[in-house]
Amino acid sequence: HELIKAQIPLDDIVELIRLSAWNKYRGRKDEQKRIYTEVSKIYEAVVAGETPGKPSTEEISVELLDFTPVVKPISEYETQEINWLWYPYIPKGGITILDGDPGVGKTYLSLSLVAHLSSGQPLPGEVEIKEEKQNMSLRKPEKVLYMTAEDDPGLTLRPRLELMKANLPNILICEGTLANDGNTVEPLDFSTMEGLETLAALCEKYKPVLIVIDPFVAFIGRTDINKANEVRPVMTPLNLLARKYDVAILLVRHLTKGARERIIYRGMGTIDIIAAARSSLLVAPDPDNPEIRIMFHQKHNLSRQGASLGYTITDQGFQWLGEVNVSPIDALKPETVEARGRRTRDEAQEWLEEFLSQYPQGVSSQAIMEAAKNNSFSESTIRRAKKELGVIVKKKGSIWLWKLEE
């Protein structure tokens, strides 16, 4: 306004604005055009004797944008129903996260879902009671795509699936793509267009209802899983792909070490990963019975929270136990020093009893201590276990022998 009052020509004002710190269009291809359009409106208004204020929304020129905004009334959008793979835990058309510590049974749980879907077996909650009879809800056998980077398909996955009575031809294992040498198989990288296009092509050809990516971190190349700006370009295309093919994607993650204020933040990587998911499951051992694992429903954007479900893993395979009433906070609570010490003493006592039972005639204390050390037991712990078991100690020559009571 001051430049116009000083009767500076319009072209000179535009150039002054372009070179000043007020230039908000600096670096754009149409920088000059944008500045001229905005300044000329003010110039013309002042010359006409008007006092222009802040431009209204009607005066903003959409034509000057480098992109086309997509805007329409929400009334033009059709209401869509949510398709569920397993209500209320896993929706179709989106991402579900499965978190848990290493060795807690995440892969077993994933394979159980695969077995149910491939053979048409009902999942927990899909069994209805009608006229005092169990009525299995109708579920037809469907195809599943399993991507793994930690378990050998022939050594680990197939034996487990056979125990679960899975329909093996419906389970497709994607090992990756052939490298240029024609022999090496490289895992898919979903941070690249090639990886995403390959996954889309697999969906197009096989039409799976579930894609398991185990573990997620192995399929994102050099992407830093802790940086939101690097993870978002991976999560967004995966979500779009899931929506396009109406497929459920299950991403398997490990938990980070140490406690967090909220359990939902314990999963490895940036919080943007779980923010992009529609549902999130957590696996942890039962604090009162480590043989039992529990699946918790920790995020549920599209439904009520599902019940916590228990399961066991034995030589006979995987078995659901039904609903359990355990808090995930208790399940992930760090073990106290006292509890850890008590567990160590119990384990030491059990080990010592089993070790001595192999030598009814007795065994030297030196041999016991060496064996105990190899099993990570301290000498003081073993001596306490000896006292608890009432081990008999006798000297034979220069050697002290330990043996169990007869």
Side-chain angles (χ1 to χ4, degrees), residues 284-289 292-297 305 307-310 323-332:
D286 186 326
D288 298 322
N289 187 351
I292 296 176
R293 278 68 174 233
I294 303 173
M295 184 195 81
F296 299 98
H297 195 192
Q305 185 174 20
S308 300
L309 302 176
E323 296 184 14
V324 295
N325 187 21
V326 177
S327 165
I329 297 175
D330 293 333
L332 291 178

Side-chain angles (χ1 to χ4, degrees), residues 98-292:
L98 176 58
D99 287 331
D101 281 320
V104 78
K106 299 186 299 296
T107 297
Y108 258 109
L109 176 59
S110 302
L111 291 176
S112 175
L113 299 177
V114 169
H116 279 274
L117 297 169
S118 68
S119 59
Q121 304 171 43
L123 285 156
E126 294 180 334
V127 179
E128 301 175 355
I129 305 296
K130 290 186 178 179
E131 298 178 358
E132 299 183 355
K133 294 182 180 180
Q134 286 192 352
N135 178 40
M136 302 297 184
S137 63
L138 296 177
R139 177 184 280 283
K140 64 179 182 179
E142 296 180 285
K143 291 190 182 298
V144 177
L145 181 62
Y146 201 102
M147 314 188 74
T148 180
E150 291 186 346
D151 296 290
D152 185 278
L155 182 65
T156 305
L157 302 184
R158 177 167 180 165
R160 293 179 181 179
L161 288 165
E162 286 176 338
L163 279 175
M164 298 175 188
K165 296 181 172 56
N167 184 353
L168 299 184
N170 275 346
I171 303 168
L172 309 167
I173 305 295
C174 179
E175 299 181 30
T177 55
L178 280 177
N180 294 331
D181 60 11
N183 296 313
T184 308
V185 177
E186 298 177 343
L188 293 184
D189 180 357
F190 297 130
S191 68
T192 67
M193 188 58 67
E194 179 185 343
L196 293 167
E197 287 177 349
T198 302
L199 187 60
L202 294 175
C203 290
E204 198 75 56
K205 180 175 181 179
Y206 298 107
K207 296 177 174 51
V209 294
L210 174 67
I211 299 172
V212 180
I213 302 174
D214 181 14
F216 176 53
V217 69
F219 294 89
I220 57 175
R222 297 183 180 180
T223 300
D224 189 336
I225 198 170
N226 296 302
K227 293 183 178 179
N229 63 319
E230 293 189 26
V231 168
R232 283 191 199 118
V234 177
M235 299 298 289
T236 300
L238 284 177
N239 255 321
L240 292 173
L241 184 146
R243 194 182 310 165
K244 178 179 179 180
Y245 294 101
D246 196 31
V247 62
I249 297 179
L250 184 68
L251 304 183
V252 181
R253 293 191 306 174
H254 297 315
L255 292 178
T256 56
K257 296 180 180 179
R260 298 280 182 92
E261 289 184 5
R262 296 185 62 190
I263 295 174
I264 200 170
Y265 297 153
R266 283 284 310 275
M268 182 182 291
T270 171
I271 191 65
D272 279 59
I273 295 175
I274 204 158
R278 293 302 181 198
S279 181
S280 175
L281 309 173
L282 170 71
V283 175
D286 186 326
D288 298 322
N289 187 351
E291 297 299 316
I292 296 176

Side-chain angles (χ1 to χ4, degrees), residues 297-309:
H297 195 192
Q298 63 171 347
K299 181 182 177 182
H300 37 95
N301 276 3
L302 306 174
S303 67
R304 61 173 176 79
Q305 185 174 20
S308 300
L309 302 176

Side-chain angles (χ1 to χ4, degrees), residues 22 32 45-46 65 67 90 101 120 176 186 198 288 298 334 362 369:
W22 297 328
Q32 190 83 13
V46 172
L65 298 176
F67 47 85
I90 303 179
D101 281 320
E186 298 177 343
T198 302
D288 298 322
Q298 63 171 347
M369 293 306 171

